Amino acid sequence: MSNSHFTFKEFKVFQEKAAFKVGTDAVLLGASAAVAGKKRILDVGSGTGLITLMLAQRCDAEIVSIEPDKDSYIQTVENVEQSGWKNRITVLNTDLQTFNYNERKFDLIVTNPPYFSNSLKNPDPRKSSARHNDSLTSADLLTGINRLLDEKGLFQIILPYVEGTVFIAEAQQFGFYCCNILKIRPLPTSEIRRLILTFSGERKPAKEKFLTIERGPRHDFTEEYRNLTKDFYLKF
């Protein structure tokens, strides 16, 4: 059974109601997202609200967090309310396809999306929806980004390696070009397991970086991973 909550350096995340629990993918995206200079940020599919809270800790931007699952939405609201940044975070119970925010567009959009399309589904429909893309396809996501992202804004997403390489090609059909790739592997000897991809409307060669999480033994974290997450994890 998973922990009912996680304590980070500046906030707590309760997760008993959320379909999508706290995980390394969210921490990686929250810690590495390009928040510098951003004024309005959208978090698509908040889950527990972890990424939203990490972004709020890292910058002074106004943040809108959307979550279609009702219980996960309630969980995000509860976690935001007990944080120190609730006055500049708006949480909405809606999906991306129907989300209509009548303010100006966002200069950063981030998401840790459902991405499994052909694998065995969890019998719990909420958990299945949180990890499979039936309810948010790549086309749905990119259509929403195209509608909501400022023309000079950035869009960032974390995906498994195979899905990420496919997504880069799909994004080009919507006028988004990958400008940065963070390639993540669990161990020095492992294959790349995750990609954090940054997209903009400007076509230019993508810059690549690598991140290894552990040196070898369990919980023997690399210096680069410690440096990335030290503002959040109590153990660092």
Side-chain angles (χ1 to χ4, degrees), residues 37-41 105-109 149-150 153-154:
K38 301 300 187 293
K39 301 300 183 184
R40 289 174 50 76
I41 300 174
K105 293 185 176 183
F106 297 92
D107 49 12
L108 176 64
I109 299 178
L149 187 66
D150 183 85
L154 296 176

Side-chain angles (χ1 to χ4, degrees), residues 40-234:
R40 289 174 50 76
I41 300 174
L42 175 65
D43 178 12
V44 177
S46 63
T48 62
L50 172 58
I51 292 175
T52 290
L53 292 169
M54 293 180 73
L55 300 183
Q57 179 181 324
R58 294 182 56 214
C59 69
D60 296 324
E62 296 177 16
I63 301 172
V64 177
S65 183
I66 62 174
E67 172 54 58
D69 177 72
K70 184 62 177 290
D71 288 337
S72 297
Y73 156 76
I74 292 171
Q75 189 83 84
T76 297
V77 170
E78 291 175 352
N79 287 329
V80 166
E81 282 297 312
Q82 56 84 43
S83 77
W85 311 292
K86 62 182 181 181
N87 291 337
R88 56 186 175 89
I89 298 174
T90 301
V91 186
L92 301 172
N93 183 205
T94 183
D95 58 25
L96 181 63
Q97 295 93 323
T98 56
F99 172 58
N100 184 19
Y101 206 63
N102 294 322
E103 305 286 338
R104 63 188 186 278
K105 293 185 176 183
F106 297 92
D107 49 12
L108 176 64
I109 299 178
V110 300
T111 185
N112 177 18
Y115 49 72
F116 295 122
S117 56
N118 297 310
S119 58
L120 184 65
K121 293 188 176 181
N122 193 301
D124 182 333
R126 292 179 63 236
K127 292 181 179 179
S128 178
S129 177
R131 299 315 283 144
H132 291 78
N133 65 8
D134 297 20
S135 59
L136 184 67
T137 65
S138 296
D140 290 335
L141 178 58
L142 289 162
T143 298
I145 301 301
N146 194 40
R147 178 167 53 90
L148 297 165
L149 187 66
D150 183 85
E151 62 179 12
K152 295 182 179 179
L154 296 176
F155 162 51
Q156 293 184 288
I157 185 171
I158 185 166
L159 288 168
Y161 180 81
V162 172
E163 286 82 355
T165 54
V166 172
F167 189 84
I168 290 172
E170 292 177 326
Q172 290 188 24
Q173 301 174 27
F174 288 80
F176 294 115
Y177 304 96
C178 186
C179 54
N180 283 286
I181 305 175
L182 179 60
K183 297 183 174 182
I184 301 160
R185 55 192 169 206
L187 300 167
T189 56
S190 302
E191 295 181 351
I192 301 300
R193 298 288 177 80
R194 291 289 187 271
L195 300 175
I196 294 181
L197 306 172
T198 304
F199 294 88
S200 74
E202 182 182 356
R203 189 194 292 265
K204 57 184 178 182
K207 298 178 181 178
E208 295 187 0
K209 292 184 178 180
F210 292 84
L211 174 68
T212 303
I213 296 176
E214 294 178 325
R215 293 186 178 92
R218 183 72 170 156
H219 300 312
D220 182 10
F221 296 102
T222 64
E223 197 65 27
E224 57 189 340
Y225 182 72
R226 288 173 177 270
N227 288 336
L228 180 65
T229 60
K230 64 184 179 182
D231 290 339
F232 303 100
Y233 282 137
L234 294 173

Side-chain angles (χ1 to χ4, degrees), residues 22-37:
V22 169
T24 302
D25 285 7
V27 172
L28 286 166
L29 182 57
S32 62
V35 297

Side-chain angles (χ1 to χ4, degrees), residues 12-30:
K12 287 185 179 180
V13 174
F14 291 84
Q15 62 172 4
E16 65 274 7
K17 297 184 182 71
F20 195 0
K21 307 301 184 183
V22 169
T24 302
D25 285 7
V27 172
L28 286 166
L29 182 57

